[in-house]
Coordinates of all heavy atoms in Angstrom, one line a residue:
R1 N 13.0 -3.9 74.5 CA 11.7 -3.9 75.2 C 10.7 -3.2 74.3 O 9.5 -3.5 74.3 CB 11.6 -3.4 76.5 CG 12.3 -4.3 77.5 CD 12.5 -3.6 78.9 NE 13.5 -2.5 78.8 CZ 13.9 -1.9 79.8 NH1 13.5 -2.1 81.0 NH2 14.8 -0.8 79.6
K2 N 11.2 -2.3 73.5 CA 10.3 -1.5 72.6 C 10.0 -2.1 71.3 O 9.1 -1.6 70.6 CB 11.0 -0.2 72.3 CG 11.1 0.7 73.5 CD 11.8 2.1 73.2 CE 11.9 3.0 74.4 NZ 12.5 4.3 74.1
I3 N 10.5 -3.3 71.0 CA 10.2 -4.0 69.8 C 9.2 -5.2 70.1 O 9.0 -6.0 69.1 CB 11.4 -4.5 69.0 CG1 12.1 -5.6 69.7 CG2 12.4 -3.3 68.7 CD1 13.1 -6.4 68.8
V4 N 8.8 -5.3 71.3 CA 8.0 -6.4 71.6 C 6.5 -5.9 71.4 O 6.1 -5.0 71.8 CB 8.1 -6.8 73.2 CG1 7.1 -7.9 73.5 CG2 9.5 -7.3 73.4
T5 N 5.8 -6.7 70.5 CA 4.4 -6.4 70.2 C 3.5 -7.3 71.1 O 3.8 -8.6 71.2 CB 4.2 -6.7 68.6 OG1 5.0 -5.8 67.9 CG2 2.7 -6.3 68.3
E6 N 2.4 -6.8 71.5 CA 1.5 -7.5 72.3 C 0.5 -8.2 71.4 O -0.2 -7.6 70.6 CB 0.8 -6.6 73.4 CG -0.1 -7.6 74.3 CD -0.6 -6.7 75.5 OE1 0.3 -6.0 76.1 OE2 -1.8 -6.8 75.7
G7 N 0.3 -9.5 71.6 CA -0.7 -10.3 70.8 C -1.8 -10.7 71.7 O -1.9 -10.1 72.8
P8 N -2.6 -11.6 71.3 CA -3.8 -12.1 72.1 C -3.4 -12.6 73.4 O -2.3 -13.2 73.6 CB -4.4 -13.2 71.2 CG -3.9 -12.8 69.8 CD -2.6 -12.3 69.9
E9 N -4.3 -12.3 74.4 CA -4.1 -12.8 75.8 C -2.8 -12.2 76.4 O -2.3 -12.7 77.5 CB -4.0 -14.4 75.9 CG -5.2 -15.1 75.4 CD -6.3 -14.9 76.4 OE1 -6.1 -15.0 77.7 OE2 -7.5 -14.6 76.0
G10 N -2.3 -11.2 75.8 CA -1.1 -10.6 76.4 C 0.2 -11.2 76.0 O 1.2 -10.9 76.6
V11 N 0.2 -12.2 75.1 CA 1.4 -12.9 74.7 C 2.2 -11.9 73.9 O 1.8 -11.2 72.9 CB 1.1 -14.1 73.9 CG1 2.4 -14.6 73.2 CG2 0.3 -15.1 74.6
G12 N 3.5 -11.7 74.3 CA 4.4 -10.8 73.5 C 5.1 -11.5 72.4 O 5.3 -12.7 72.5
F13 N 5.4 -10.9 71.4 CA 6.2 -11.5 70.3 C 7.2 -10.5 69.7 O 6.9 -9.3 69.6 CB 5.3 -12.2 69.2 CG 4.7 -11.3 68.2 CD1 5.2 -10.9 67.1 CD2 3.3 -10.7 68.6 CE1 4.6 -10.1 66.2 CE2 2.8 -9.9 67.7 CZ 3.3 -9.6 66.5
I14 N 8.3 -11.0 69.2 CA 9.3 -10.2 68.5 C 9.5 -10.8 67.2 O 9.7 -11.9 67.0 CB 10.7 -10.3 69.3 CG1 10.5 -9.6 70.7 CG2 11.8 -9.8 68.5 CD1 11.8 -9.7 71.5
S15 N 9.6 -9.9 66.1 CA 9.8 -10.2 64.8 C 11.3 -10.1 64.5 O 11.8 -9.1 64.9 CB 9.0 -9.4 63.8 OG 9.4 -9.6 62.5
G16 N 11.9 -11.2 64.0 CA 13.2 -11.1 63.7 C 13.6 -10.2 62.6 O 14.7 -9.4 62.6
G17 N 12.8 -10.2 61.5 CA 13.0 -9.2 60.4 C 14.1 -9.7 59.5 O 15.1 -10.5 59.9
S18 N 14.2 -9.2 58.3 CA 15.2 -9.7 57.4 C 16.6 -9.1 57.8 O 17.6 -9.7 57.3 CB 14.9 -9.0 56.0 OG 14.8 -7.6 56.0
G19 N 16.6 -8.1 58.6 CA 18.0 -7.6 59.0 C 18.8 -8.6 59.8 O 20.0 -8.4 60.1
I20 N 18.2 -9.7 60.4 CA 18.9 -10.6 61.2 C 20.0 -11.4 60.4 O 20.9 -11.9 60.9 CB 17.8 -11.6 61.8 CG1 18.5 -12.3 63.0 CG2 17.4 -12.7 60.7 CD1 17.6 -13.2 63.8
M21 N 19.9 -11.3 59.1 CA 20.8 -11.9 58.3 C 22.2 -11.3 58.3 O 23.3 -11.9 58.0 CB 20.4 -11.9 56.8 CG 19.1 -12.7 56.6 SD 19.1 -14.4 57.1 CE 20.2 -15.1 55.9
G22 N 22.1 -10.1 58.9 CA 23.5 -9.2 59.0 C 24.2 -9.6 60.4 O 25.2 -9.0 60.6
L23 N 23.7 -10.5 61.1 CA 24.3 -10.9 62.4 C 25.7 -11.4 62.2 O 26.5 -11.4 63.2 CB 23.5 -11.9 63.1 CG 22.2 -11.4 63.8 CD1 21.4 -12.5 64.4 CD2 22.5 -10.3 64.9
N24 N 26.1 -11.9 61.1 CA 27.4 -12.5 60.8 C 28.5 -11.4 60.9 O 29.6 -11.7 61.2 CB 27.4 -13.0 59.4 CG 26.6 -14.2 59.2 OD1 26.2 -15.0 60.2 ND2 26.1 -14.4 58.0
N25 N 28.2 -10.1 60.6 CA 29.2 -9.2 60.5 C 29.1 -8.1 61.6 O 29.5 -7.0 61.5 CB 29.1 -8.5 59.2 CG 29.3 -9.5 58.1 OD1 30.3 -10.3 58.0 ND2 28.4 -9.5 57.1
L26 N 28.6 -8.4 62.8 CA 28.4 -7.5 63.9 C 29.8 -7.1 64.5 O 30.7 -7.9 64.5 CB 27.6 -8.1 65.0 CG 26.1 -8.4 64.7 CD1 25.5 -8.9 65.9 CD2 25.4 -7.2 64.1
S27 N 29.8 -5.8 64.9 CA 31.0 -5.4 65.5 C 30.9 -5.7 67.0 O 29.9 -6.1 67.6 CB 31.1 -3.7 65.4 OG 30.0 -3.2 66.1
K28 N 32.0 -5.5 67.7 CA 32.0 -5.8 69.2 C 30.9 -4.9 69.9 O 30.3 -5.5 70.8 CB 33.4 -5.4 69.8 CG 33.6 -5.6 71.3 CD 34.8 -5.2 71.7 CE 34.9 -5.4 73.4 NZ 33.9 -4.5 74.0
D29 N 30.8 -3.6 69.6 CA 29.8 -2.8 70.2 C 28.4 -3.3 69.9 O 27.6 -3.2 70.8 CB 30.0 -1.3 69.8 CG 31.3 -0.7 70.3 OD1 31.8 -1.2 71.3 OD2 31.7 0.3 69.7
Q30 N 28.2 -3.7 68.7 CA 26.8 -4.2 68.4 C 26.5 -5.5 69.1 O 25.3 -5.7 69.6 CB 26.7 -4.5 66.9 CG 26.6 -3.2 66.0 CD 26.7 -3.4 64.6 OE1 27.5 -4.3 64.1 NE2 26.1 -2.6 63.8
I31 N 27.5 -6.4 69.3 CA 27.3 -7.5 70.0 C 27.0 -7.3 71.5 O 26.2 -7.8 72.1 CB 28.5 -8.5 69.9 CG1 28.7 -9.0 68.5 CG2 28.4 -9.7 70.8 CD1 30.0 -9.8 68.2
D32 N 27.8 -6.4 72.0 CA 27.7 -5.9 73.4 C 26.3 -5.4 73.6 O 25.6 -5.8 74.6 CB 28.7 -4.8 73.7 CG 28.7 -4.4 75.1 OD1 27.9 -4.9 75.9 OD2 29.6 -3.7 75.5
Y33 N 25.8 -4.6 72.8 CA 24.5 -4.0 72.9 C 23.4 -5.0 72.8 O 22.4 -5.0 73.5 CB 24.3 -2.8 71.8 CG 23.0 -2.0 72.2 CD1 23.0 -1.1 73.1 CD2 21.9 -2.2 71.4 CE1 21.8 -0.4 73.4 CE2 20.7 -1.5 71.5 CZ 20.7 -0.5 72.6 OH 19.5 0.2 72.8
L34 N 23.6 -5.8 71.8 CA 22.5 -6.9 71.6 C 22.4 -7.8 72.7 O 21.3 -8.3 73.2 CB 22.8 -7.7 70.3 CG 21.8 -8.8 69.9 CD1 20.4 -8.2 69.8 CD2 22.2 -9.5 68.7
V35 N 23.5 -8.4 73.3 CA 23.5 -9.3 74.3 C 22.9 -8.7 75.6 O 22.1 -9.3 76.3 CB 24.9 -9.9 74.6 CG1 24.9 -10.7 76.0 CG2 25.4 -10.7 73.5
H36 N 23.3 -7.4 75.8 CA 22.8 -6.6 77.0 C 21.3 -6.6 76.9 O 20.5 -6.8 77.8 CB 23.4 -5.3 77.0 CG 22.8 -4.4 78.1 ND1 23.0 -4.6 79.5 CD2 21.9 -3.4 78.1 CE1 22.3 -3.7 80.2 NE2 21.6 -3.0 79.3

């Protein structure tokens, strides 16, 4: 919820960022936290 940026008219958006490329090697704890 803290990475949601507010745009025009109150539309929220989330940037994926270059770090999303590391999703291939997530640990169980990281998957758990992300899904939650």
Side-chain angles (χ1 to χ4, degrees):
R1 291 171 293 186
K2 294 184 178 180
I3 71 168
V4 177
T5 302
E6 185 170 312
E9 294 293 315
V11 174
F13 74 94
I14 290 177
S15 173
S18 59
I20 199 171
M21 301 304 291
L23 287 175
N24 296 332
N25 302 309
L26 294 182
S27 67
K28 177 182 179 298
D29 289 340
Q30 288 171 325
I31 293 174
D32 187 352
Y33 188 75
L34 179 59
V35 171
H36 172 73

